[in-house]
Amino acid sequence: MGKIKYLAACTGFLLLIFTQTIHAQVSLQPAGILLKDVIITSKTAESQLMKIDLTRVPANTAQDLLRKVPGLFIAQHAGGGKAEQIFLRGFDNDHGTDIAISADGIPVNMVSHAHGQGYSDLHFLIPETIDNITFGKGAYYADKGDFNTSGYVDFHTYDQVSNSMIKLEGGNFNTLRTAGIFNLLPGDQHQRNAYIAGEYNFTNGPFQVKQNFNRFNLFGKFNQQINEKSYINIQASTFSSSWNASGQIPERAVTEGIIGRFDSIDTTEGGNTSRTNLLLNYRYKIDDQQNWESSFYYSRYKFNLYSDFTFYLVHPDKGDEIHQFDNRDVYGMNHKYSKRFEFGTSSLIWQAGGGFRTDVIHDLGLSYVTARDTLNERLAWGNGTETNVNVFTSAEWMIGKWMINPGLRADWFNFNYFDKLDTRNGIQGYQKIRVSPKFNVFYNIDANTQLYLKTGFGFHSNDMRDVILQKGVNTLPWSAGTDLGILLKPVKDLVIQPILWYTYLSNEYVWNGDSYGTSAVGPTRRYGFDLALRYQPLHWLYLDADGNYADPRLVGKPVGNNYVELAPTFTSTGGIGVQLKNGLSANLRYRYMHNRPATQDNSIVANGYFVNDLLLGYEKKSWAFNIQVQNLFDVNWNEAMFAETTRLHGEPSAGVEQLTFTPGTPFYIKAGVTVKF
């Protein structure tokens, strides 16, 4: 009840800000699609809803982009440059182990990554270039493969921009951000267009150890309609970043007064990373019923991370700082053919496709170091290649009010690894095939109500180092799940989407790049309930809320000792937005994470939190001004939490197991101005 009163107070605060402005408006018409225009029975209904969300609450960071997905939660715990920890549907996805992420068709997940399987760093995206986000929960999509167990997220950049812009922002903690988009072909928007975008970020953050976070992004895109049947798209991006991190600190270090909440035990944590992407897309319209699409991509990737999770547990004299490094090239391509058939009273769209991805990993390792400099001990060091070849087929048969969607996917993996610390075995390799059937059914009760049932199998691949260690066992653990949902529009300005779901994972393990080993806990099951609400009672007023309940448990373990560590049990996000005709806008956002087990027996609990953000804006034709306030009420909250055994100076050699955490951002304000031309 306290949380409800709290949110009500926040809502009242927002409305108070705009009372004087609202009463003067008699005809308020915001730009973009309205909720009343969304067609529930359309295949693009969820995409239309996401487009509204993006328009009503613009994204300002890569973290904001991920938060747009209903039910998806994130945590940042390494100085801003490390990929976010992702939570979805009762999964602690770590940095991407059980969620497939792509950007314009380029896979973001890194297989056999130095820090963790499926590591997904989205910081190469510039938020102002994102046109839309498509997503799906569960593993029900034939064109999605590795890591698609809890769901997938695809980011799509604008093909063209109507004008150029420059944005400059500054805020607390010596924060500076500048971004720009430049239209290179303003007079030729239909047959050919091109633009470039850039971004620079700097902040020292709220920590005692200055983050000195630097990130530079550059993105370019060119589109050419060759003729009425052929289209080509070429794009390139590059980013690099470096940072210091305060790391995760034990609770006792703060409660005993050894350090403050924003202090560090190891002051030399941090890292640097870079990624360059090249992409070529080609589309060919064979005829009115047939289409072909091809894409070819390349990524150059480097990563260095310095972390310290146990402090003086292993090395009482030098400390336990570790260095994880990754250096690779990624090559891939995807192809898809689609054809439409008409049968009088029904129609069918058939799709078939395939592709491959090869990661050529030049250097992959883990070492104990001191202060990022002195090499104390190599724990792992090697190189290798990992290749995935896949094919899929699916059909959408539309008959009357029904749409029946069967699908089938097959993936072949080839793992090859050379251990530089033990060269006696030479290059070792294993192969594995996974077949994943899918079956979905949709029923349109009327124009405003759609029922659906989704079922299917998915999988995530194991780290190639563990594949070799386990001699090919548990290489591609599979998942199976079901969604039963309804998408309805009871009145023209309200959309409701409740979903009951269930997921089973054959082996819940996570390759731990921090200790060169696998945490294999066996099979798990999850069931839960999602509820999404979107309401626009007036053109200028938009309300949204997402609530997500999950019950994650280990299968075959005694009750009370069967909790899935750090798996979320209840999360909720939402807010209220005002967008006026005179250019004023405001959004009050909230996010809530409930308490969750940090250990298998729930003896250590990761405490939940409730945080509010406020966004204010004023926009005219050629310029805009915005203010962003994070943690509006300056609450103490912990963003990332883990149960770790750590040892501080003077403590017993066995160490102490307790909660370690990274504190969440305190009250923080950032203002910016945008000029369009």
Side-chain angles (χ1 to χ4, degrees):
M1 182 62 70
K3 292 288 190 295
I4 296 174
K5 291 181 179 179
Y6 187 31
L7 181 57
C10 298
T11 305
F13 174 76
L14 175 66
L15 292 177
L16 181 63
I17 293 175
F18 283 88
T19 297
Q20 298 303 314
T21 306
I22 293 173
H23 83 272
Q25 303 297 318
V26 293
S27 178
L28 304 173
Q29 183 68 34
I33 188 173
L34 301 175
L35 203 59
K36 66 181 180 65
D37 300 322
V38 175
I39 302 172
I40 293 300
T41 55
S42 167
K43 288 173 58 178
T44 63
E46 290 187 337
S47 180
Q48 293 177 58
L49 293 171
M50 175 60 75
K51 191 73 170 177
I52 296 175
D53 285 352
L54 283 168
T55 302
R56 293 288 167 170
V57 190
N60 197 40
T61 66
Q63 292 94 320
D64 291 340
L65 293 173
L66 279 168
R67 288 184 179 127
K68 293 296 181 183
V69 178
L72 190 150
F73 242 75
I74 62 170
Q76 172 58 250
H77 57 265
K82 186 178 175 183
E84 282 71 32
Q85 186 180 7
I86 302 172
F87 305 94
L88 181 66
R89 283 212 160 173
F91 280 85
D92 171 13
N93 286 294
D94 193 35
H95 299 285
T97 304
D98 286 287
I99 181 169
I101 302 177
S102 69
D104 286 332
I106 300 175
V108 179
N109 303 77
M110 288 292 175
V111 298
S112 302
H113 188 269
H115 183 66
Q117 180 68 338
Y119 186 89
S120 299
D121 187 349
L122 277 165
H123 295 131
F124 64 86
L125 292 178
I126 300 173
E128 287 81 3
T129 66
I130 300 302
D131 179 32
N132 206 357
I133 304 170
T134 55
F135 67 92
K137 299 179 184 179
Y140 315 128
Y141 320 98
D143 60 339
K144 308 301 177 187
D146 200 5
F147 306 114
N148 176 214
T149 47
S150 70
Y152 79 88
V153 183
D154 293 341
F155 295 92
H156 309 276
T157 57
Y158 286 102
D159 281 337
Q160 63 184 53
V161 295
S162 57
N163 54 259
S164 301
M165 59 80 73
I166 296 176
K167 177 184 285 188
L168 181 64
E169 297 176 311
N172 296 124
F173 318 126
N174 294 322
T175 298
L176 171 70
R177 178 178 183 263
T178 181
I181 299 176
F182 304 94
N183 187 358
L184 301 180
L185 296 170
D188 191 8
Q189 291 292 305
H190 299 291
Q191 296 300 317
R192 181 176 59 181
N193 53 79
Y195 69 92
I196 59 171
E199 178 188 26
Y200 174 72
N201 282 272
F202 176 85
T203 186
N204 277 327
F207 301 93
Q208 293 299 313
V209 174
K210 292 183 178 180
Q211 286 179 259
N212 194 29
F213 170 69
N214 284 270
R215 187 177 77 233
F216 175 75
N217 297 61
L218 187 64
F219 174 77
K221 194 169 188 177
F222 170 81
N223 304 282
Q224 171 75 61
Q225 189 72 43
I226 300 172
N227 53 47
E228 62 180 14
K229 290 190 174 185
S230 299
Y231 166 89
I232 191 170
N233 158 249
I234 302 171
Q235 63 187 63
S237 68
T238 188
F239 99 104
S240 63
S241 67
S242 61
W243 67 94
N244 299 320
S246 289
Q248 299 148 212
I249 56 177
E251 282 188 327
R252 66 187 183 281
V254 177
T255 57
E256 294 174 10
I258 300 173
I259 60 172
R261 273 179 55 82
F262 292 93
D263 285 337
S264 303
I265 302 295
D266 185 339
T267 60
T268 63
E269 295 189 54
N272 58 78
T273 188
S274 64
R275 179 169 181 168
T276 298
N277 299 312
L278 298 174
L279 175 67
L280 168 66
N281 289 313
Y282 174 73
R283 296 201 299 262
Y284 180 69
K285 183 178 180 181
I286 301 172
D287 54 38
D288 290 341
Q289 285 76 41
Q290 300 178 86
N291 291 282
W292 178 270
E293 299 178 21
S294 292
S295 66
F296 306 85
Y297 61 85
Y298 164 76
S299 294
R300 181 78 179 98
Y301 178 78
K302 291 184 178 181
F303 172 87
N304 287 282
L305 181 67
Y306 299 89
S307 308
D308 197 339
F309 303 106
T310 55
F311 308 118
Y312 297 95
L313 183 66
V314 181
H315 302 98
D317 50 347
K318 298 180 179 180
D320 299 345
E321 183 174 290
I322 60 174
H323 174 211
Q324 295 165 318
F325 51 94
D326 195 314
N327 179 2
R328 70 176 69 196
D329 293 290
V330 183
Y331 307 87
M333 66 178 181
N334 292 295
H335 307 281
K336 183 171 69 174
Y337 168 79
S338 62
K339 183 172 183 178
R340 183 180 183 90
F341 299 87
E342 298 291 345
F343 302 115
T345 59
S346 68
S347 63
L348 184 143
I349 298 175
W350 174 59
Q351 291 186 341
F356 86 89
R357 168 182 172 171
T358 295
D359 287 62
V360 180
I361 304 172
H362 308 293
D363 215 9
L364 186 66
L366 171 68
S367 303
Y368 278 117
V369 296
T370 299
R372 300 195 192 187
D373 184 33
T374 305
L375 175 64
N376 298 329
E377 178 187 358
R378 287 194 186 274
L379 298 176
W381 188 26
N383 58 40
T385 60
E386 182 172 333
T387 301
N388 169 220
V389 178
N390 61 78
V391 293
F392 73 89
T393 184
S394 67
E396 295 179 356
W397 182 33
M398 289 152 282
I399 178 169
K401 296 183 176 182
W402 294 87
M403 197 271 275
I404 301 171
N405 173 217
L408 185 67
R409 182 183 180 90
D411 288 83
W412 173 81
F413 281 82
N414 185 30
F415 304 86
N416 292 285
Y417 181 67
F418 177 71
D419 190 342
K420 294 183 181 181
L421 298 182
D422 184 3
T423 61
R424 294 170 297 177
N425 295 321
I427 298 175
Q428 295 179 275
Y430 287 93
Q431 301 178 15
K432 187 72 173 181
I433 294 176
R434 171 67 65 208
V435 177
S436 306
K438 326 276 184 176
F439 187 76
N440 308 313
V441 178
F442 300 82
Y443 179 68
N444 298 324
I445 296 176
D446 54 41
N448 296 311
T449 310
Q450 183 183 75
L451 288 170
Y452 59 86
L453 175 69
K454 299 180 181 180
T455 62
F457 287 80
F459 71 95
H460 70 229
S461 62
N462 199 352
D463 187 290
M464 67 180 181
R465 293 166 291 183
D466 198 42
V467 171
I468 302 303
L469 288 172
Q470 295 195 47
K471 301 187 184 302
V473 178
N474 291 324
T475 301
L476 304 175
W478 55 271
S479 71
T482 299
D483 272 31
L484 178 61
I486 182 171
L487 188 61
L488 69 148
K489 201 173 179 184
V491 294
K492 66 177 182 177
D493 298 311
L494 173 65
V495 174
I496 305 173
Q497 188 176 20
I499 307 169
L500 288 169
W501 58 269
Y502 176 88
T503 300
Y504 176 88
L505 188 58
S506 65
N507 189 12
E508 177 116 351
Y509 67 87
V510 176
W511 170 259
N512 190 345
D514 304 329
S515 60
Y516 198 73
T518 301
S519 301
V521 296
T524 59
R525 63 94 183 129
R526 292 164 171 82
Y527 62 79
F529 177 74
D530 295 345
L531 178 63
L533 300 172
R534 300 291 184 271
Y535 184 42
Q536 193 172 14
L538 301 167
H539 287 180
W540 51 268
L541 182 62
Y542 186 72
L543 300 95
D544 65 285
D546 295 289
N548 308 274
Y549 168 77
D551 185 68
R553 290 292 185 271
L554 305 174
V555 175
K557 302 292 184 181
V559 175
N561 194 41
N562 63 340
Y563 295 95
V564 181
E565 297 177 4
L566 298 176
T569 56
F570 181 74
T571 63
S572 183
T573 59
I576 177 173
V578 172
Q579 195 175 75
L580 304 179
K581 187 178 180 180
N582 65 2
L584 282 169
S585 65
N587 285 274
L588 180 67
R589 310 297 302 167
Y590 79 88
R591 58 187 186 274
Y592 172 72
M593 170 78 80
H594 192 62
N595 296 349
R596 54 205 161 93
T599 56
Q600 187 171 315
D601 60 1
N602 201 25
S603 59
I604 300 177
V605 175
N607 295 319
Y609 54 84
F610 185 82
V611 179
N612 296 95
D613 299 328
L614 178 66
L615 294 85
L616 302 174
Y618 182 69
E619 184 172 359
K620 285 297 184 181
K621 184 176 181 180
S622 60
W623 66 275
F625 177 74
N626 68 85
I627 297 176
Q628 180 186 124
V629 184
Q630 295 183 22
N631 194 358
L632 179 63
F633 298 100
D634 199 20
V635 300
N636 282 341
W637 63 291
N638 296 333
E639 185 162 13
M641 290 161 278
F642 303 88
E644 288 278 2
T645 300
T646 61
R647 184 189 185 192
L648 306 178
H649 273 303
E651 290 186 332
S653 59
V656 178
E657 184 184 24
Q658 69 172 185
L659 199 72
T660 64
F661 69 92
T662 301
T665 304
F667 178 88
Y668 164 81
I669 186 168
K670 180 172 68 173
V673 61
T674 302
V675 178
K676 301 177 183 180
F677 54 94

